[in-house]
Amino acid sequence: MLKTTLKFLGWTILGIITFLVLYLIAVYLISKITVNSDVVQVEEKDGIPIYILSNGVHTDIVVPVVNEIKDWRKEIQFSQTKSKDSTMQYIAFGWGDKGFYLHTPEWSDLKASTALKAAFGVSSSAMHTTFFKQLKEGDDCKRIIISKENYQKLVTFISESFLDANHPQWIEGYSYGRKDAFYEAKGSYSLFYTCNTWANCALKAANQKASLWTVYDKGIFCHYE
């Protein structure tokens, strides 16, 4: 009996290690494959500026708070942030695991149960929004000019990621700072669909350069070097 149990544990551990190795190889190789590599450059006067922004782990999609195509103030209200500052010019959207977002403001707060639920897609999700007055371009912040038509597609993708596309449900009492807020979102985070996968899919929806599939931020930014 003991011999059978040890054999089973050995095969289980080997299976887990094999899966992780294959997963990491796939993550690296597939993220290097570019989609929409032939995207047509748009003149600034004819397009809409957006940004991809990374904190080193997580990617946000940043768009104007208001323009002729979309006024985000109707759904994402300044009054739902601590600062209530209505002079902000840009708004960042970042999708992710709700439990991780709300209960892990610092890595030191991470619990094993939260990580496991996130990894295996058994918890709900949230949208994190952050207002900015301006952004500074750099290795972790890339500015892109997209057509108005593609911006409308991006708006649709972001809106449909909320649990209620027309009336985003504010998760009151949670924020990381004075200019952000959380909202209920659709879908579940997993090893195969992370916050960065969502941002990558947003770029795909807007017909911009993106990875075929990625789960980490560098899988997006490597296409904008």
Side-chain angles (χ1 to χ4, degrees):
M1 182 67 178
L2 179 60
K3 184 177 180 180
T4 302
T5 301
L6 290 174
K7 185 177 181 180
F8 173 77
L9 288 174
W11 279 109
T12 300
I13 292 171
L14 179 61
I16 292 172
I17 292 173
T18 301
F19 167 77
L20 289 175
V21 170
L22 292 175
Y23 173 79
L24 292 173
I25 291 173
V27 164
Y28 178 78
L29 293 178
I30 299 176
S31 69
K32 298 296 182 182
I33 302 172
T34 308
V35 297
N36 299 326
S37 57
D38 58 348
V39 60
V40 177
Q41 295 295 316
V42 179
E43 294 291 333
E44 185 151 356
K45 62 183 177 61
D46 300 320
I48 306 291
I50 69 168
Y51 295 83
I52 51 174
L53 176 67
S54 172
N55 65 2
V57 177
H58 168 90
T59 305
D60 280 345
I61 301 295
V62 189
V63 301
V65 169
V66 57
N67 59 22
E68 62 192 87
I69 295 174
K70 178 68 176 180
D71 185 349
W72 289 104
R73 298 172 300 182
K74 295 179 179 179
E75 290 98 25
I76 313 301
Q77 300 173 23
F78 295 122
S79 61
Q80 293 170 342
T81 66
K82 290 180 180 179
S83 73
K84 298 178 172 46
D85 188 344
S86 61
T87 66
M88 300 292 103
Q89 299 298 307
Y90 296 94
I91 181 171
F93 293 91
W95 178 95
D97 179 77
K98 183 178 178 180
F100 191 95
Y101 259 152
L102 302 186
H103 305 300
T104 316
E106 302 289 344
W107 286 108
S108 58
D109 299 313
L110 181 61
K111 296 180 180 179
S113 58
T114 300
L116 288 172
K117 287 179 180 179
F120 294 102
V122 295
S123 61
S124 54
S125 60
M127 185 73 76
H128 184 222
T129 65
T130 309
F131 287 108
F132 293 92
K133 279 193 176 178
Q134 58 184 6
L135 293 98
K136 182 178 180 181
E137 291 184 77
D139 292 340
D140 60 353
C141 184
K142 301 295 184 180
R143 187 172 188 262
I144 312 166
I145 304 297
I146 70 175
S147 70
K148 294 176 181 179
E149 179 183 2
N150 283 332
Y151 182 68
Q152 180 61 69
K153 293 176 180 178
L154 177 61
V155 166
T156 299
F157 178 87
I158 294 172
S159 294
E160 291 181 349
S161 296
F162 287 94
L163 190 61
D164 185 333
N166 297 315
H167 304 285
Q169 301 170 22
W170 178 34
I171 305 174
E172 192 171 357
Y174 291 92
S175 69
Y176 291 158
R178 294 186 54 76
K179 299 174 183 178
D180 66 309
F182 289 95
Y183 298 84
E184 300 287 355
K186 293 177 183 176
S188 295
Y189 186 106
S190 73
L191 285 172
F192 300 98
Y193 196 95
T194 69
C195 53
N196 297 302
T197 311
W198 178 87
N200 190 65
C201 287
L203 291 170
K204 285 183 181 180
N207 297 315
Q208 300 305 299
K209 285 191 300 183
S211 168
L212 180 61
W213 171 72
T214 189
V215 297
Y216 70 131
D217 63 332
K218 290 180 178 57
I220 296 173
F221 281 79
C222 69
H223 302 285
Y224 287 89
E225 293 177 345

